Amino acid sequence: MKRFARLEQIRRMDPHREAWEIYRLSSAYEFPWDFTRALELALYRTYAVPGIGRLLAETAELTDRSQKRYDDTTLLLDAVVEHGFASVQGRTAIRRINQMHRSYDITNDDMRYVLCTFVVMPKRWIDAYGWRRMSRHETVAAAVYYRTLGRHMGIKDIPESYEEFESHLDAYEDAHFGWDEGARRVSDATLDLMASWYPRPLAPALRTGTLALLDESLLRAFRYDAPSPATRAFVRRAMRLRGRAVRLLPPRRVPHHARQNREIKGYPNGYRVAELGTHPVPGTGGCPVRHLGSAPAD
């Protein structure tokens, strides 16, 4: 198989009717490492919205049980990507997500913003650091895929196109990013979790490297000292060099799904999708965001 053969395959597909298939090809074959990093950043950005970050701190899931929360979120989202919306696994994963969210007063605006991060951040990351840029077919398919997921979650007024997702994300962050003490605790716990995946002596460098990848609006919201321009340039250049190196590799012949990532630590003996996540009681901890005004669909 030639390096760009799968991209040629994607361009022959319909990004509206075959959105899930295109998204799976992109995330599991073309850019599995990049999608993981980008979706980590997508979720991380949501902490900078004080209403979201504060509730995350109140549930203590991301501060006291960081690895489990990371694993469960990744595996639930991955089940839909791997098996599709109509599959038993996909339906079960969406049901679990909705069951957790029902226990909390999540605004539609916050839920829609989180959905926007899933659409926009992978494209921005891949265009900056991937072995190639995302094609238009992949970009359209990602927007359609997350519109479908959003409808299954009962989210209202979902943007229609990638451009609308991007515009909404930027406007929402301009209006809502800000300081919150609880959100900063969640951010610190997440940075500590990411550093824990590597040998302990590397932790300070990994933290600095992660901060170097954040934009100024995030650094301001969490009140982090910005890395030096030289550090930021070095880290971002290293990410671009990695992308160029990957371009020289042969294309992936078997899919790599998020459940196969080395960062997933909590289920060495396997897991059941129906048992992932928390089982919150209304008014107590366990859900990552506030609840919608209307009941989400199973």
Side-chain angles (χ1 to χ4, degrees):
M1 181 182 290
K2 296 181 179 179
R3 193 67 179 99
F4 289 88
R6 191 163 285 112
L7 175 59
E8 293 171 3
Q9 174 189 355
I10 288 171
R11 284 174 169 163
R12 292 192 296 269
M13 300 170 72
D14 187 313
H16 295 277
R17 290 190 299 103
E18 299 174 283
W20 167 70
E21 291 88 343
I22 292 174
Y23 188 79
R24 189 177 66 88
L25 289 174
S26 295
S27 63
Y29 286 90
E30 296 286 83
F31 307 105
W33 187 87
D34 297 281
F35 265 90
T36 296
R37 302 287 83 77
L39 291 174
E40 287 169 354
L41 181 59
L43 288 169
Y44 182 84
R45 295 189 77 82
T46 67
Y47 309 164
V49 176
I52 297 175
R54 188 179 306 119
L55 184 60
L56 285 164
E58 291 170 358
T59 67
E61 289 295 312
L62 274 165
T63 52
D64 296 353
R65 294 170 288 277
S66 303
Q67 185 67 61
K68 186 180 189 307
R69 170 55 65 191
Y70 176 89
D71 292 351
D72 290 352
T73 301
T74 300
L75 294 172
L76 287 168
L77 293 172
D78 182 59
V80 187
V81 176
E82 181 172 2
H83 301 288
F85 292 101
S87 68
V88 172
Q89 297 95 324
R91 294 198 307 270
T92 301
I94 294 170
R95 187 177 302 113
R96 276 273 58 231
I97 292 169
N98 288 338
Q99 286 168 347
M100 288 189 288
H101 290 171
R102 281 198 187 100
S103 297
Y104 295 88
D105 184 22
I106 307 171
T107 69
N108 188 75
D109 287 348
D110 281 352
M111 290 291 285
R112 185 173 53 207
Y113 166 67
V114 174
L115 195 70
C116 288
T117 68
F118 293 164
V119 176
V120 176
M121 299 317 299
K123 176 172 171 54
R124 288 183 175 176
W125 176 279
I126 290 168
D127 285 355
Y129 305 120
W131 66 270
R132 64 169 173 81
R133 296 172 67 88
M134 283 187 72
S135 70
R136 182 61 185 172
H137 270 55
E138 290 168 308
T139 302
V140 172
V144 174
Y145 175 86
Y146 280 107
R147 275 184 55 79
T148 304
L149 180 61
R151 288 197 299 271
H152 280 289
M153 295 176 65
I155 300 174
K156 298 178 180 178
D157 302 320
I158 303 171
E160 294 283 344
S161 65
Y162 173 82
E163 289 73 21
E164 291 183 18
F165 274 106
E166 185 173 45
S167 176
H168 187 82
L169 177 137
D170 290 336
Y172 203 75
E173 292 183 351
D174 287 344
H176 295 280
F177 267 15
W179 164 256
D180 182 83
E181 184 177 353
R184 171 61 186 259
R185 290 199 305 273
V186 173
S187 174
D188 287 340
T190 301
L191 293 176
D192 290 343
L193 172 66
M194 293 177 178
S196 74
W197 297 332
Y198 302 91
R200 183 170 296 181
L202 297 177
L206 289 167
R207 182 184 176 92
T208 299
T210 302
L211 293 177
L213 293 170
L214 304 184
D215 57 53
E216 293 294 338
S217 62
L218 275 176
L219 294 171
R220 285 196 303 270
F222 294 126
R223 297 183 182 176
Y224 287 129
D225 293 332
S228 70
T231 298
R232 180 170 291 179
F234 174 81
V235 171
R236 297 186 178 196
R237 188 177 299 116
M239 289 294 98
R240 289 191 291 270
L241 287 173
R242 178 204 167 270
R244 293 176 186 174
V246 172
R247 184 171 180 145
L248 300 176
L249 299 175
R252 183 177 294 279
R253 293 184 177 274
V254 295
H256 180 95
H257 291 284
R259 61 177 170 78
Q260 299 167 288
N261 291 347
R262 62 183 298 275
E263 294 86 3
I264 303 295
K265 305 286 189 182
Y267 299 97
N269 299 316
Y271 60 91
R272 295 181 65 236
V273 174
E275 296 174 356
L276 293 173
T278 59
H279 299 267
V281 175
T284 67
C287 177
V289 278
R290 288 198 168 89
H291 180 63
L292 293 162
S294 61
D298 283 345

